[in-house]
Coordinates of all heavy atoms in Angstrom, one line a residue:
M1 N 73.0 96.0 94.1 CA 71.9 95.9 95.0 C 71.1 97.3 94.9 O 71.7 98.3 94.9 CB 72.4 95.7 96.4 CG 71.5 96.1 97.5 SD 72.2 95.8 99.1 CE 73.1 97.4 99.3
Y2 N 69.8 97.1 94.9 CA 69.0 98.4 94.9 C 68.9 98.9 96.3 O 68.7 98.2 97.3 CB 67.6 98.1 94.4 CG 67.5 98.0 92.9 CD1 67.4 96.8 92.2 CD2 67.6 99.2 92.1 CE1 67.4 96.8 90.8 CE2 67.6 99.2 90.7 CZ 67.5 98.0 90.1 OH 67.5 98.0 88.7
V3 N 69.1 100.2 96.5 CA 69.0 100.9 97.7 C 67.6 101.6 97.8 O 66.9 101.5 98.8 CB 70.1 101.9 97.9 CG1 69.9 102.7 99.2 CG2 71.5 101.2 98.0
C4 N 67.3 102.2 96.7 CA 66.0 103.0 96.7 C 65.1 102.3 95.6 O 65.4 102.3 94.4 CB 66.3 104.4 96.3 SG 64.7 105.4 96.1
L5 N 64.1 101.6 96.2 CA 63.2 100.9 95.3 C 62.2 101.8 94.6 O 61.8 101.6 93.4 CB 62.4 99.8 96.1 CG 63.3 98.7 96.7 CD1 62.4 97.7 97.5 CD2 64.0 97.9 95.6
C6 N 61.9 102.9 95.2 CA 60.9 103.8 94.6 C 61.5 104.4 93.3 O 60.7 104.7 92.4 CB 60.6 105.0 95.6 SG 59.6 104.4 97.0
H7 N 62.8 104.6 93.3 CA 63.4 105.3 92.1 C 64.4 104.4 91.4 O 65.1 104.9 90.5 CB 64.0 106.6 92.5 CG 63.0 107.6 93.0 ND1 62.1 108.2 92.2 CD2 62.7 108.1 94.2 CE1 61.3 109.0 92.9 NE2 61.6 108.9 94.1
G8 N 64.5 103.2 91.9 CA 65.4 102.2 91.2 C 66.9 102.7 91.2 O 67.6 102.5 90.2
V9 N 67.3 103.1 92.4 CA 68.7 103.6 92.6 C 69.5 102.5 93.3 O 69.2 102.0 94.3 CB 68.8 104.9 93.4 CG1 70.2 105.4 93.5 CG2 67.9 106.0 92.7
S10 N 70.7 102.2 92.7 CA 71.5 101.1 93.2 C 72.7 101.7 94.1 O 72.9 102.9 94.0 CB 72.1 100.3 92.1 OG 73.0 101.1 91.3
D11 N 73.3 100.8 94.8 CA 74.5 101.3 95.6 C 75.6 101.7 94.7 O 76.3 102.7 95.0 CB 75.0 100.1 96.5 CG 75.3 98.9 95.8 OD1 74.8 98.6 94.7 OD2 76.2 98.2 96.2
K12 N 75.7 101.1 93.5 CA 76.7 101.5 92.5 C 76.4 102.9 92.0 O 77.4 103.7 91.9 CB 76.6 100.5 91.3 CG 77.7 100.7 90.3 CD 77.6 99.7 89.2 CE 78.7 99.9 88.1 NZ 78.5 98.9 87.1
A13 N 75.2 103.3 91.8 CA 74.8 104.7 91.4 C 75.2 105.7 92.5 O 75.6 106.8 92.2 CB 73.4 104.7 91.0
I14 N 75.0 105.3 93.7 CA 75.3 106.2 94.8 C 76.8 106.4 95.0 O 77.3 107.5 95.1 CB 74.7 105.7 96.2 CG1 73.1 105.7 96.1 CG2 75.2 106.4 97.4 CD1 72.4 105.1 97.2
R15 N 77.5 105.3 94.8 CA 79.0 105.4 94.8 C 79.5 106.3 93.7 O 80.4 107.2 93.9 CB 79.7 104.1 94.7 CG 79.6 103.3 96.0 CD 80.5 102.1 96.0 NE 80.0 101.2 97.1 CZ 79.2 100.2 96.9 NH1 78.7 99.9 95.7 NH2 78.8 99.5 97.9
K16 N 78.9 106.1 92.6 CA 79.3 107.0 91.4 C 79.0 108.4 91.7 O 79.8 109.3 91.4 CB 78.6 106.5 90.2 CG 79.0 107.0 88.9 CD 78.3 106.4 87.7 CE 78.7 107.0 86.4 NZ 77.9 106.5 85.3
A17 N 77.9 108.7 92.2 CA 77.5 110.1 92.6 C 78.4 110.7 93.6 O 78.8 111.8 93.5 CB 76.0 110.2 93.0
A18 N 78.8 109.8 94.6 CA 79.8 110.3 95.6 C 81.1 110.7 95.0 O 81.7 111.7 95.3 CB 80.0 109.2 96.7
H19 N 81.6 109.9 94.1 CA 82.8 110.2 93.4 C 82.7 111.4 92.5 O 83.7 112.0 92.2 CB 83.3 109.0 92.7 CG 83.7 107.8 93.6 ND1 83.7 106.5 93.2 CD2 84.1 107.8 94.9 CE1 84.0 105.8 94.2 NE2 84.3 106.5 95.2
A20 N 81.5 111.7 92.1 CA 81.3 112.9 91.2 C 81.1 114.1 92.0 O 80.9 115.2 91.4 CB 80.1 112.6 90.3
G21 N 81.0 114.0 93.4 CA 80.9 115.2 94.2 C 79.7 115.3 95.1 O 79.6 116.3 95.9
C22 N 78.8 114.3 95.1 CA 77.7 114.3 96.1 C 78.2 113.9 97.5 O 78.8 112.8 97.6 CB 76.6 113.3 95.7 SG 75.6 113.9 94.4
H23 N 78.1 114.8 98.5 CA 78.7 114.5 99.8 C 77.7 114.5 100.9 O 78.0 114.5 102.1 CB 79.8 115.5 100.1 CG 81.0 115.3 99.2 ND1 81.9 116.3 99.0 CD2 81.4 114.3 98.5 CE1 82.9 115.8 98.2 NE2 82.5 114.6 97.8
S24 N 76.4 114.6 100.5 CA 75.3 114.5 101.6 C 74.1 113.9 101.0 O 73.9 113.7 99.8 CB 75.0 116.0 102.0 OG 74.4 116.7 100.9
L25 N 73.2 113.5 101.9 CA 71.9 112.9 101.5 C 71.1 113.9 100.7 O 70.5 113.5 99.7 CB 71.2 112.4 102.7 CG 69.9 111.6 102.4 CD1 70.2 110.4 101.5 CD2 69.1 111.3 103.6
A26 N 71.2 115.2 101.1 CA 70.4 116.2 100.3 C 70.9 116.3 98.9 O 70.1 116.4 98.0 CB 70.6 117.5 101.0
Q27 N 72.2 116.2 98.7 CA 72.8 116.2 97.3 C 72.4 115.0 96.6 O 72.1 115.1 95.4 CB 74.3 116.4 97.4 CG 74.7 117.8 97.8 CD 76.2 117.8 98.0 OE1 76.9 116.9 98.4 NE2 76.8 119.0 97.7
L28 N 72.4 113.8 97.2 CA 72.0 112.6 96.6 C 70.5 112.7 96.2 O 70.1 112.3 95.1 CB 72.1 111.4 97.5 CG 73.5 110.7 97.6 CD1 73.4 109.5 98.5 CD2 74.0 110.3 96.2
R29 N 69.7 113.3 97.1 CA 68.3 113.4 96.8 C 68.1 114.3 95.6 O 67.3 114.0 94.7 CB 67.6 114.0 98.0 CG 66.1 114.1 97.9 CD 65.4 114.6 99.1 NE 65.6 113.8 100.2 CZ 66.1 114.1 101.4 NH1 66.4 115.4 101.7 NH2 66.2 113.3 102.4
A30 N 68.8 115.4 95.5 CA 68.7 116.3 94.4 C 69.2 115.6 93.1 O 68.6 115.9 92.0 CB 69.5 117.6 94.6
E31 N 70.2 114.8 93.2 CA 70.8 114.2 92.0 C 70.1 113.0 91.5 O 69.8 112.8 90.3 CB 72.3 113.9 92.3 CG 73.1 113.6 91.1 CD 73.3 114.8 90.2 OE1 73.4 116.0 90.7 OE2 73.4 114.6 89.0
L32 N 69.8 112.1 92.5 CA 69.2 110.8 92.1 C 67.8 110.5 92.6 O 67.2 109.5 92.3 CB 70.1 109.7 92.7 CG 71.6 109.7 92.3 CD1 72.4 108.6 93.1 CD2 71.7 109.4 90.8
K33 N 67.2 111.5 93.3 CA 65.9 111.4 93.9 C 65.8 110.3 95.0 O 64.7 109.9 95.5 CB 64.8 111.0 92.9 CG 64.7 112.1 91.8 CD 63.6 111.8 90.9 CE 63.4 112.9 89.9 NZ 62.4 112.6 88.9
V34 N 67.0 109.9 95.6 CA 67.0 108.9 96.7 C 66.3 109.5 97.9 O 66.4 110.7 98.2 CB 68.5 108.6 97.0 CG1 68.6 107.9 98.4 CG2 69.1 107.8 96.0
A35 N 65.5 108.7 98.5 CA 64.8 109.2 99.8 C 63.8 110.3 99.5 O 63.5 111.1 100.5 CB 65.8 109.5 100.9
S36 N 63.3 110.5 98.3 CA 62.4 111.6 98.1 C 61.0 111.2 98.0 O 60.1 112.0 97.8 CB 62.9 112.3 96.8 OG 62.7 111.5 95.7
Q37 N 60.7 109.9 98.1 CA 59.3 109.5 98.1 C 58.9 108.9 99.4 O 58.4 109.6 100.2 CB 59.1 108.5 96.9 CG 57.7 108.2 96.6 CD 57.5 107.6 95.3 OE1 58.3 107.7 94.3 NE2 56.4 106.8 95.1
C38 N 59.1 107.6 99.7 CA 58.7 107.0 101.0 C 59.8 107.3 102.0 O 59.4 107.3 103.2 CB 58.5 105.5 100.8 SG 60.0 104.5 100.7
G39 N 61.0 107.4 101.7 CA 62.1 107.7 102.6 C 62.7 106.5 103.3 O 63.6 106.7 104.1
K40 N 62.2 105.3 103.0 CA 62.7 104.1 103.7 C 64.2 103.8 103.4 O 64.8 103.1 104.1 CB 61.8 102.9 103.4 CG 60.5 103.0 104.0 CD 59.6 101.8 103.7 CE 58.3 101.9 104.4 NZ 57.4 100.8 104.0
C41 N 64.7 104.4 102.3 CA 66.0 104.1 101.8 C 67.1 105.1 102.4 O 68.2 104.9 102.2 CB 66.1 104.2 100.3 SG 65.6 105.8 99.7
A42 N 66.6 106.1 103.2 CA 67.5 107.1 103.6 C 68.7 106.6 104.4 O 69.9 106.9 104.2 CB 66.8 108.1 104.4
R43 N 68.4 105.7 105.4 CA 69.5 105.2 106.2 C 70.5 104.4 105.4 O 71.7 104.6 105.5 CB 68.9 104.3 107.3 CG 70.0 103.7 108.2 CD 69.5 102.8 109.3 NE 68.8 103.6 110.3 CZ 68.2 103.0 111.3 NH1 68.1 101.7 111.5 NH2 67.6 103.8 112.2
Q44 N 70.1 103.5 104.5 CA 71.0 102.7 103.7 C 71.7 103.6 102.7 O 72.9 103.4 102.5 CB 70.2 101.6 103.0 CG 71.1 100.6 102.2 CD 72.0 99.8 103.1 OE1 71.6 99.5 104.2 NE2 73.2 99.5 102.6
A45 N 71.1 104.6 102.2 CA 71.7 105.5 101.2 C 72.9 106.2 101.9 O 74.0 106.4 101.4 CB 70.7 106.5 100.6
K46 N 72.6 106.7 103.2 CA 73.6 107.4 103.9 C 74.8 106.5 104.2 O 76.0 106.9 104.1 CB 73.1 107.9 105.3 CG 72.5 109.2 105.2 CD 72.1 109.6 106.7 CE 71.7 111.0 106.8 NZ 71.3 111.4 108.1
A47 N 74.5 105.2 104.5 CA 75.6 104.2 104.8 C 76.5 104.0 103.6 O 77.7 104.0 103.7 CB 75.0 102.9 105.3
V48 N 75.8 103.8 102.4 CA 76.6 103.6 101.2 C 77.4 104.9 100.9 O 78.6 104.8 100.5 CB 75.7 103.3 100.0 CG1 76.4 103.2 98.7 CG2 75.0 101.9 100.3
L49 N 76.8 106.0 101.1 CA 77.5 107.3 100.8 C 78.7 107.4 101.7 O 79.8 107.8 101.3 CB 76.6 108.5 101.0 CG 77.1 109.8 100.7 CD1 77.5 110.0 99.3 CD2 76.1 110.9 101.1
S50 N 78.6 107.1 103.0 CA 79.7 107.2 104.0 C 80.8 106.3 103.6 O 82.0 106.7 103.7 CB 79.2 106.9 105.4 OG 78.3 107.8 105.8
E51 N 80.5 105.1 103.1 CA 81.5 104.2 102.7 C 82.3 104.6 101.5 O 83.5 104.4 101.3 CB 80.9 102.8 102.4 CG 80.5 102.0 103.6 CD 79.7 100.7 103.2 OE1 79.8 100.3 102.1 OE2 79.0 100.2 104.1
A52 N 81.6 105.3 100.6 CA 82.2 105.8 99.3 C 83.0 107.0 99.5 O 83.9 107.2 98.7 CB 81.0 106.0 98.3
L53 N 82.7 107.8 100.5 CA 83.5 109.1 100.6 C 84.8 108.8 101.3 O 85.0 107.9 102.1 CB 82.7 110.1 101.5 CG 81.4 110.6 100.9 CD1 80.7 111.5 101.9 CD2 81.7 111.3 99.6
P54 N 85.8 109.6 100.9 CA 87.1 109.4 101.6 C 87.0 109.9 103.0 O 86.2 110.7 103.4 CB 88.1 110.4 100.8 CG 87.1 111.3 100.2 CD 85.8 110.6 99.9
P55 N 87.9 109.3 103.9 CA 87.8 109.7 105.3 C 88.2 111.2 105.4 O 89.0 111.7 104.6 CB 88.9 108.8 106.0 CG 89.7 108.3 104.9 CD 88.9 108.3 103.7
P56 N 87.7 111.9 106.5 CA 88.0 113.3 106.6 C 89.5 113.7 106.6 O 89.9 114.7 106.1 CB 87.4 113.7 108.0 CG 86.4 112.6 108.2 CD 86.9 111.4 107.5
S57 N 90.3 112.8 107.1 CA 91.8 113.1 107.2 C 92.4 113.0 105.8 O 93.5 113.6 105.6 CB 92.5 112.0 108.1 OG 92.3 110.8 107.5
A58 N 91.7 112.4 104.8 CA 92.2 112.4 103.4 C 91.8 113.6 102.6 O 92.3 113.8 101.5 CB 91.7 111.1 102.7
A59 N 91.0 114.4 103.2 CA 90.5 115.6 102.5 C 91.7 116.6 102.4 O 92.5 116.7 103.3 CB 89.4 116.3 103.2
P60 N 91.8 117.3 101.3 CA 92.9 118.3 101.1 C 92.8 119.4 102.2 O 91.7 119.8 102.5 CB 92.7 118.9 99.7 CG 91.3 118.5 99.4 CD 90.9 117.3 100.2
K61 N 94.0 119.7 102.8 CA 94.0 120.7 103.8 C 94.2 122.0 103.2 O 94.9 122.2 102.2 CB 95.1 120.4 104.8 CG 94.9 119.1 105.6 CD 95.9 118.8 106.6 CE 95.6 117.5 107.3 NZ 96.6 117.0 108.1
Q62 N 93.6 123.0 103.8 CA 93.7 124.4 103.3 C 94.7 125.1 104.2 O 94.6 125.0 105.4 CB 92.4 125.1 103.3 CG 91.4 124.5 102.3 CD 90.1 125.2 102.2 OE1 89.8 126.0 103.1 NE2 89.4 125.0 101.2
T63 N 95.5 125.9 103.7 CA 96.5 126.7 104.4 C 96.2 128.2 104.2 O 96.0 128.6 103.1 CB 97.9 126.4 104.0 OG1 98.1 125.0 104.1 CG2 98.9 127.1 104.8
L64 N 96.1 128.9 105.3 CA 95.9 130.3 105.3 C 97.2 131.0 105.4 O 98.0 130.8 106.3 CB 95.0 130.8 106.4 CG 94.8 132.3 106.5 CD1 94.0 132.8 105.3 CD2 94.0 132.6 107.8
I65 N 97.5 131.8 104.4 CA 98.8 132.5 104.3 C 98.5 134.0 104.4 O 97.8 134.6 103.6 CB 99.6 132.2 103.1 CG1 99.9 130.7 103.0 CG2 100.9 133.1 103.0 CD1 100.5 130.3 101.7
I66 N 99.1 134.7 105.5 CA 98.9 136.1 105.6 C 100.2 136.8 105.0 O 101.3 136.5 105.4 CB 98.8 136.5 107.1 CG1 97.5 135.8 107.7 CG2 98.7 138.0 107.3 CD1 97.4 135.9 109.2
T67 N 99.9 137.6 104.1 CA 101.0 138.2 103.4 C 101.3 139.7 103.9 O 102.4 140.1 103.7 CB 100.8 138.3 101.9 OG1 99.6 139.0 101.6 CG2 100.7 136.9 101.3
Q68 N 100.4 140.3 104.5 CA 100.6 141.7 105.0 C 99.9 141.8 106.4 O 98.8 141.4 106.5 CB 100.1 142.7 104.1 CG 100.9 142.9 102.8 CD 100.3 144.0 101.9 OE1 99.1 144.3 102.0 NE2 101.2 144.6 101.2
I69 N 100.6 142.5 107.2 CA 100.0 142.9 108.5 C 100.0 144.4 108.6 O 101.1 145.0 108.6 CB 100.7 142.2 109.7 CG1 100.6 140.7 109.6 CG2 100.1 142.7 111.0 CD1 101.4 140.0 110.6
A70 N 98.9 145.1 108.7 CA 98.8 146.5 108.8 C 99.1 146.9 110.3 O 98.6 146.3 111.2 CB 97.4 147.0 108.4
V71 N 99.9 147.9 110.5 CA 100.3 148.3 111.8 C 99.8 149.7 112.1 O 99.8 150.6 111.3 CB 101.8 148.3 112.1 CG1 102.2 148.8 113.5 CG2 102.3 146.9 111.8
Ligands
FES1 S1 62.8 103.5 98.7 FE1 63.8 105.4 98.3 S2 62.2 106.8 98.4 FE2 61.2 104.9 98.7

């Protein structure tokens, strides 16, 4: 299904971009030009992007390790 008619961008292309590292509408706009002309596709593009991204709890957790404490 086409999400952005101005630039011919499909939901499949948005999912592919999400899996390649696009995590925001701004990144999608830079990569695929989504929502860069009339902007009517912005809401749908965000929805497709949200569905394609892993849930926040699935994101890798970072651990801070302190190796020295100055006294
Ligand atoms: S439909 Fe996407 S910019 Fe117009």
Side-chain angles (χ1 to χ4, degrees):
M1 157 185 85
Y2 280 104
V3 173
C4 178
L5 296 178
C6 292
H7 296 289
V9 180
S10 66
D11 58 331
K12 186 177 176 182
I14 292 173
R15 285 192 196 96
K16 189 175 176 182
H19 292 152
C22 284
H23 293 159
S24 69
L25 185 60
Q27 289 175 324
L28 275 183
R29 187 177 295 129
E31 194 67 32
L32 303 174
K33 297 184 179 177
V34 168
S36 65
Q37 194 164 329
C38 75
K40 290 182 179 176
C41 59
R43 180 183 286 178
Q44 185 63 33
K46 271 185 171 180
V48 173
L49 182 63
S50 294
E51 288 174 15
L53 293 175
S57 62
K61 294 183 179 167
Q62 294 181 344
T63 304
L64 177 63
I65 299 173
I66 299 173
T67 57
Q68 289 183 330
I69 299 175
V71 180

